[in-house]
Amino acid sequence: MKQLLTILIAVSLFSCRDESKVEEAVAQIPVEFKVERFDQVFWGSKPEELPSIKAKYPFFFPEGNPDSVWVNKLKNPLLKELYQEVQMKYPKLGKIETDMEKLFAHVQYYFPKYKTPRVITLINEVDTDGRVFYVDTLALVSLDCYLGKDHRFYVDFPEFKKFEFEENQILPNLVSSFCYGKIAAPTDRTLLSAMIYYGKELYMKDKLIPEYSDADKMGYTDLQLKFCQENEYYMWSNLVENKLLYDSNPKNEQRFINPAPFSKFYLEMDNQIPGRVGQWLGWQIVRSYMENNDDVTLQELLAMDAKTIFDNSKYKPKKQ
């Protein structure tokens, strides 16, 4: 037992040293950018200024729409109120901009061909499907989707989705968008493949926004994260005992992967179990794999199939 403890401490120390070296290298990467506040440019403009704004931001003005469409938006009382709320919440970006700088440095460390993107904030009328966009040389953030879970504009959204409107979800959402197309698509419809797909995305957050808490990376409250940590063994055992890991029933994704008020194990305590626990468990499998295969690069991980990762992960949660 004493020998095992010594080995674990040694592994932990080596891991900390490796992480420290990475952060030292990241700190040396030059990142220069300025957030363009399109939300302020457009909503603070006059109709006669539209031509110059359209020339600078043509991708926000689809062809076929007459200028009257944009003028009417500027006059819309509800949209004007939305703009005012955004300005009260985000007169300046402060920590968000600082965190973005760190994110872009980490991206360039792990993905050298990706340079600092052009960053633009906007208002998209609380379109949650388009809250962020980070592809290649462009990153967009819809600030009206991050006014805080208790804001009156979100009153009609389900409770379990309201946490997505917190400011601390901007950077995790940007990483999720950046991951699109970089993680190999599952080769089958099994629950395990879906779990590890999202586990890879969450592991990307470990690498690209390491200072963020696991709760923020996952989009959980601290209590939801604590539940998962304390009940990891039981949730995993349930999936194994019911032979769900290699089951291709699409309902399994609805039960354990997709956003929901709770995960559905069909137990009396289901309403205590956070939604998307399949993603969280997949994250622990990926973490275990990388801890036990330290010669594997991030890019190799993203391209690897789920079965190879699982079979070599040595993942075995302990009963608490």
Side-chain angles (χ1 to χ4, degrees):
M1 183 68 182
K2 185 176 181 181
Q3 185 178 11
L4 176 60
L5 182 61
T6 302
I7 292 172
L8 290 174
I9 292 173
V11 170
S12 177
L13 287 173
F14 278 119
S15 177
C16 290
R17 288 173 187 168
D18 288 343
E19 290 174 7
S20 178
K21 288 180 180 179
V22 168
E23 293 307 308
E24 287 176 7
V26 169
Q28 300 302 314
I29 297 174
V31 175
E32 293 184 10
F33 74 102
K34 181 180 180 181
V35 176
E36 300 176 47
R37 295 294 301 266
F38 176 77
D39 52 310
Q40 296 175 343
V41 170
F42 178 77
W43 294 99
S45 70
K46 299 176 181 178
E48 57 267 26
E49 297 174 300
L50 270 176
S52 61
I53 296 174
K54 289 170 68 176
K56 187 175 182 180
Y57 301 97
F59 38 83
F60 290 140
F61 300 92
E63 292 185 8
N65 290 314
D67 284 354
S68 59
V69 170
W70 315 114
V71 172
N72 288 336
K73 282 183 180 290
L74 290 172
K75 294 179 179 179
N76 185 303
L78 184 59
L79 294 180
K80 289 171 70 174
E81 183 181 359
L82 181 59
Y83 166 65
Q84 291 167 358
E85 292 295 308
V86 169
Q87 298 317 301
M88 282 193 289
K89 173 71 175 177
Y90 298 110
K92 294 183 179 179
L93 295 184
K95 183 179 183 299
I96 297 172
E97 195 162 354
T98 300
D99 287 353
M100 284 181 177
E101 182 177 346
K102 295 177 182 177
L103 165 62
F104 299 145
H106 281 86
V107 167
Q108 290 181 48
Y109 176 83
Y110 288 105
F111 302 89
K113 74 174 185 177
Y114 288 92
K115 304 306 178 185
T116 307
R118 181 182 182 187
V119 183
I120 306 173
T121 60
L122 63 146
I123 292 172
N124 74 349
E125 302 177 36
V126 196
D127 177 4
T128 57
D129 290 332
R131 68 181 71 214
V132 298
F133 177 86
Y134 180 8
V135 177
D136 298 332
T137 59
L138 184 64
L140 308 178
V141 178
S142 301
L143 293 176
D144 55 320
C145 292
Y146 299 99
L147 296 176
K149 63 182 178 64
D150 297 321
H151 197 281
R152 67 183 186 279
F153 285 160
Y154 310 141
V155 67
D156 293 329
F157 284 86
E159 280 299 317
F160 75 92
K161 291 186 71 67
K162 289 185 178 180
F163 190 76
E164 298 174 5
F165 297 108
E166 292 292 333
E167 178 181 328
N168 62 16
Q169 291 303 289
I170 293 177
L171 268 291
N173 288 168
L174 277 171
V175 175
S176 293
S177 180
F178 179 77
C179 285
Y180 184 78
K182 296 176 180 63
I183 301 174
T187 56
D188 55 47
R189 292 298 304 272
T190 63
L191 176 60
L192 181 66
S193 288
M195 289 167 61
I196 289 183
Y197 176 87
Y198 285 100
K200 291 178 183 180
E201 181 180 305
L202 287 158
Y203 188 77
M204 282 273 276
K205 294 178 183 180
D206 285 339
K207 296 302 178 184
L208 300 184
I209 48 173
E211 295 180 354
Y212 274 58
S213 70
D214 282 5
D216 288 346
K217 293 171 188 172
M218 188 70 201
Y220 275 175
T221 64
D222 290 337
L223 285 176
Q224 287 176 319
L225 181 69
K226 183 179 179 182
F227 179 95
C228 290
Q229 293 169 334
E230 292 178 347
N231 293 278
E232 181 179 1
Y233 171 84
Y234 303 102
M235 295 189 296
W236 176 251
S237 297
N238 183 284
L239 297 181
V240 173
E241 290 167 6
N242 287 287
K243 299 180 179 179
L244 293 174
L245 294 179
Y246 295 102
D247 190 344
S248 299
N249 189 332
K251 288 185 178 179
N252 291 331
E253 291 191 25
Q254 298 173 19
R255 293 171 61 187
F256 305 111
I257 300 294
N258 298 341
F262 53 85
S263 294
K264 301 176 181 65
F265 285 84
Y266 301 141
L267 302 172
E268 288 186 8
M269 63 181 297
D270 271 4
N271 62 356
Q272 300 177 44
I273 307 173
R276 300 179 290 119
V277 294
Q279 294 188 27
W280 186 83
L281 287 167
W283 189 11
Q284 309 320 305
I285 294 172
V286 172
R287 280 175 162 176
S288 181
Y289 173 81
M290 293 301 282
E291 287 169 5
N292 288 289
N293 298 272
D294 55 11
D295 58 332
V296 175
T297 67
L298 183 58
Q299 284 79 2
E300 289 171 338
L301 170 73
L302 300 182
M304 199 173 296
D305 66 278
K307 190 173 187 304
T308 298
I309 292 172
F310 178 59
D311 288 348
N312 295 279
S313 68
K314 299 181 182 179
Y315 175 69
K316 192 174 182 180
K318 297 178 181 179
K319 182 186 286 189
Q320 293 200 11

